[in-house]
Amino acid sequence: MLQVAAKYVARTPDHTSARDPVRLTESMIQQEATLKAAFERMKSTLFAERFVSFKSYPRNIDFEPSVTSARTHIQEITIENYPISIEANSHRNTSTEAYSLELREDGSAMIKINSVQGGLHAFNTFMQLFHAHTEDEIETYTPYAPVVIEDSPFFEHRGLNLDIARNRISAKDVKRTLEAMSFNKLNRLHLHATDSQSWPLEIPAFPELAEKGAYDKSQIWSIRNLHDVQEYGQSLGVEVYLEIDLPGHTASIHHSYPELITAYNMQPWEAYAAEPPSGQLKLNSSSVARFIETLLSDLFPRLVPYSSRFHLGGDELNTNSYDLDPTVNSSSKAVLRPLLQAFYDHVFALAATHSLTPLAWEEILLDWDLTLPPSTIVQTWRKPESLAAVVAHGYRALFGSSTHWYLDCGVGTWMDPYPSKPEAMGTKSPYADWCPPYKNWRLMYEYDPLEGIPERDRHLVIGGEMHLWGELTDSVGLDGMLWPRVAAAAEVLWRGKGNVDEGVTRRLAEMRERLVARGVGSGMVQMEWCLKNPGGCLH
């Protein structure tokens, strides 16, 4: 029985001499502090998690080592910064996240990393090697030694898009989500921070945006909330970046600055918006331009210590709204396109001033044919074919098709019928939402984002995100809407497309139990009888 009682020992390979001493920069010191903090967090979690794998064994089987048997303790874990090459992924920008982990029967443990990110991944893998013992509440053990693991991710960007605007999702909820994401080796959290229904984000330059735009003052995301979440994500190796959707999905601005919005809450709303309430920023207004300048100049300096990117939205722009915009008076795309180009050029320039990489939804390229900075990352969502179309234009792209990775699909509509037309689509039995069916974890796992992408363009597919839009999700149901499905998709992002089999089911079922042991309210993966009887649930 191999058990943990380890201390942190860091080594740097001897590539220097007395004439060439190592100079510790502020960045190196910070990275070392991050690794040490993560190491202590790992040790604490190992003993607190209390994961016992009894569900994976038949009834009445003594699967644990005897508490009286000889045991070897891991006295120290050596972490060494050392160049690691993973040939399989050499065409992708993922080598900095590579790591190797060796655990020997004599209790020695060695981790080699290229970066802090690799160290965080190695610690998470190390934790998954260990189990709690039902008869020993003090120590934890691994049945897997000796073991050697060499690992690196397939995709660079491994993310989750979380809507915190349509219903209440608190900073505490997001921190819990970040912990589970890090454990599953995800590295990007995309916060969809504002929308037509509410504006919960505090902006000191415009305090009334949140004061009047949030559903309630108790639901405002303060500057401190956002700072704490981004800082916590950084410590876990997850970059938290924001989306402020522009110029559509902005009706909530009307509550504080009505003069900036056109077509607010028009009826029937279907003619003016993808969902109520309608309302978009005016497109040819100097007041809107000044508002955008002030808004982003307030926000960006607070983001850059923690994030290298900013999502400017760009989806579902409704042209009918601009018939009602006195600065435009037209719904013609020929009229709107140059105005939209100028609008986004302004936003792109502000992002560039703060060295932020812009992200945008696929429509501004595929529907509007706008000219984007070469650094722009285009996020696809409507159908799998969108990805091929984007990379054909030469832009880096993210996948996450609504056909496979929309976590809010298949739970039913949030709309009620008009009394005058009770048989309207979506408001009659079976009351389906717009994107059924429910995307179960097996469907998410079998998603092949690179299908149909020419080999010459695949380097532009830098990763993807799952999406949880918030029409029917708040703090209470959040965990069950995310997990274990996010864990299934995380494996696709780390390893590439996989095939569903019993091994995947058992692996994901263990991850689910570990998440539950950490206080995450994850849904089920498999019936316990099937886990206790391998091969018994094949069909």
Side-chain angles (χ1 to χ4, degrees):
M1 183 160 62
L2 191 59
Q3 299 177 315
V4 179
K7 63 180 179 180
Y8 175 96
V9 177
R11 293 179 185 166
T12 302
D14 187 13
H15 299 311
T16 62
S17 66
R19 296 181 181 180
D20 184 23
V22 175
R23 291 180 173 84
L24 292 178
T25 65
E26 183 177 346
S27 175
M28 292 169 65
I29 293 170
Q30 179 59 46
Q31 290 175 7
E32 179 74 3
T34 299
L35 274 178
K36 284 184 176 180
F39 178 82
E40 293 303 321
R41 189 167 57 244
M42 177 191 73
K43 280 184 30 176
S44 175
T45 302
L46 272 171
F47 296 107
E49 184 180 74
R50 305 306 302 165
F51 166 69
V52 178
S53 58
F54 69 90
K55 290 186 177 182
S56 298
Y57 295 92
R59 291 182 178 93
N60 305 316
I61 291 291
D62 187 8
F63 61 90
E64 295 177 306
S66 170
V67 293
T68 61
S69 63
R71 59 188 69 184
T72 302
H73 288 89
I74 300 174
Q75 299 295 338
E76 67 179 35
I77 300 174
T78 302
I79 293 91
E80 188 170 290
N81 288 291
Y82 198 83
I84 301 170
S85 177
I86 307 293
E87 292 297 326
N89 296 337
S90 60
H91 66 293
R92 298 186 178 276
N93 186 28
T94 60
S95 61
T96 59
E97 296 185 79
Y99 70 91
S100 68
L101 187 161
E102 182 176 6
L103 188 57
R104 298 173 181 167
E105 286 183 294
D106 64 4
S108 59
M110 167 70 76
I111 292 173
K112 294 182 179 181
I113 59 176
N114 284 336
S115 67
V116 169
Q117 287 74 24
L120 296 174
H121 298 325
F123 292 158
N124 281 316
T125 295
F126 187 86
M127 282 188 280
Q128 292 173 42
L129 298 175
F130 285 82
H131 300 238
H133 198 292
T134 55
E135 297 181 12
D136 190 335
E137 296 184 359
I138 298 175
E139 296 188 306
T140 184
Y141 74 95
T142 179
Y144 301 117
V147 64
V148 176
I149 298 170
E150 294 183 349
D151 206 6
S152 72
F154 191 82
F155 289 107
E156 170 192 351
H157 184 118
R158 305 181 304 281
L160 168 67
N161 169 26
L162 182 60
D163 178 0
I164 62 171
R166 288 183 172 92
N167 277 305
R168 176 176 173 78
I169 303 290
S170 70
K172 180 180 178 181
D173 300 320
V174 174
K175 286 183 177 181
R176 184 177 66 256
T177 301
L178 283 167
E179 291 168 357
M181 289 178 66
S182 177
F183 194 46
N184 282 272
K185 299 185 176 67
L186 294 168
N187 65 352
R188 300 284 190 277
L189 177 60
H190 164 185
L191 288 182
H192 182 82
T194 63
D195 213 292
S196 289
Q197 293 78 17
S198 85
W199 184 292
L201 190 66
E202 181 184 12
I203 304 292
F206 297 116
E208 290 188 343
L209 273 176
E211 290 174 0
K212 295 182 177 180
Y215 290 131
D216 184 83
K217 290 184 178 180
S218 66
Q219 298 186 23
I220 291 174
W221 268 64
S222 68
I223 292 174
R224 171 55 59 184
N225 290 150
L226 180 59
H227 170 271
D228 288 351
V229 162
Q230 289 195 293
E231 185 175 62
Y232 192 55
Q234 188 177 68
S235 75
L236 296 170
V238 182
E239 178 184 345
V240 180
Y241 72 97
L242 255 62
E243 177 189 355
I244 305 293
D245 206 343
L246 302 168
H249 290 271
T250 48
S252 57
I253 296 173
H254 180 271
H255 298 293
S256 50
Y257 301 98
E259 70 278 8
L260 304 180
I261 299 297
T262 186
Y264 176 70
N265 202 22
M266 296 298 295
Q267 298 297 328
W269 61 262
E270 297 97 321
Y272 298 96
E275 61 183 52
S278 63
Q280 298 176 167
L281 284 168
K282 294 177 179 177
L283 208 50
N284 194 24
S285 164
S286 59
S287 296
V288 168
R290 288 191 296 271
F291 171 81
I292 293 296
E293 180 100 21
T294 303
L295 169 71
L296 299 183
S297 296
D298 179 305
L299 181 63
F300 284 169
R302 292 187 278 113
L303 301 183
V304 291
Y306 305 105
S307 177
S308 62
R309 57 199 64 198
F310 173 73
H311 202 306
L312 50 82
D315 63 320
E316 299 180 327
L317 193 66
N318 184 283
T319 58
N320 292 339
S321 294
Y322 291 111
D323 279 329
L324 306 180
D325 178 356
T327 72
V328 178
N329 292 313
S330 177
S331 58
S332 166
K333 291 188 76 170
V335 173
L336 295 176
R337 186 184 178 280
L339 297 175
L340 197 59
Q341 182 73 65
F343 179 93
Y344 281 123
D345 284 347
H346 186 201
V347 178
F348 287 135
L350 291 169
T353 299
H354 293 85
S355 301
L356 287 167
T357 298
L359 290 90
W361 294 110
E362 63 178 74
E363 288 96 318
I364 70 170
L365 177 67
L366 301 183
D367 293 2
W368 290 93
D369 194 28
L370 300 186
T371 300
L372 315 178
S375 62
T376 305
I377 299 170
V378 179
Q379 185 159 28
T380 63
W381 67 276
R382 291 181 293 185
K383 55 186 178 180
E385 293 78 11
S386 296
L387 188 64
V390 168
V391 296
H393 282 77
Y395 290 100
R396 292 180 295 164
L398 298 179
F399 54 81
S401 173
S402 61
T403 59
H404 285 77
W405 277 15
Y406 262 42
L407 296 160
D408 55 300
C409 290
V411 299
T413 186
W414 44 267
M415 295 183 289
D416 292 315
Y418 279 115
S420 60
K421 49 178 182 177
E423 294 299 304
M425 181 64 69
T427 55
K428 62 182 179 180
S429 184
Y431 301 99
D433 52 41
W434 72 275
C435 54
Y438 180 82
K439 316 311 181 198
N440 64 68
W441 74 259
R442 289 179 174 86
L443 179 66
M444 296 185 70
Y445 190 84
E446 74 172 10
Y447 177 38
D448 183 4
L450 295 180
E451 183 179 2
I453 307 298
E455 187 65 37
R456 67 179 182 275
D457 292 333
R458 290 190 173 191
H459 67 286
L460 294 170
V461 182
I462 63 170
E465 293 183 350
M466 302 125 270
H467 305 271
L468 181 56
W469 301 110
E471 287 89 349
L472 292 176
T473 299
D474 64 5
S475 294
V476 177
L478 177 63
D479 288 0
M481 289 292 286
L482 293 174
W483 309 100
R485 294 184 293 163
V486 168
E491 188 164 305
V492 176
L493 288 164
W494 186 267
R495 300 178 63 178
K497 180 193 178 292
N499 296 310
V500 175
D501 59 28
E502 189 177 27
V504 174
T505 300
R506 297 181 68 82
R507 189 163 62 245
L508 189 60
E510 179 173 317
M511 172 56 73
R512 185 264 180 178
E513 297 303 320
R514 289 186 180 274
L515 290 172
V516 171
R518 292 167 172 235
V520 176
S522 172
M524 291 291 293
V525 171
Q526 180 60 291
M527 180 168 58
E528 187 169 344
W529 189 93
C530 301
L531 297 175
K532 289 184 176 296
N533 295 272
C537 292
L538 303 181
H539 181 66

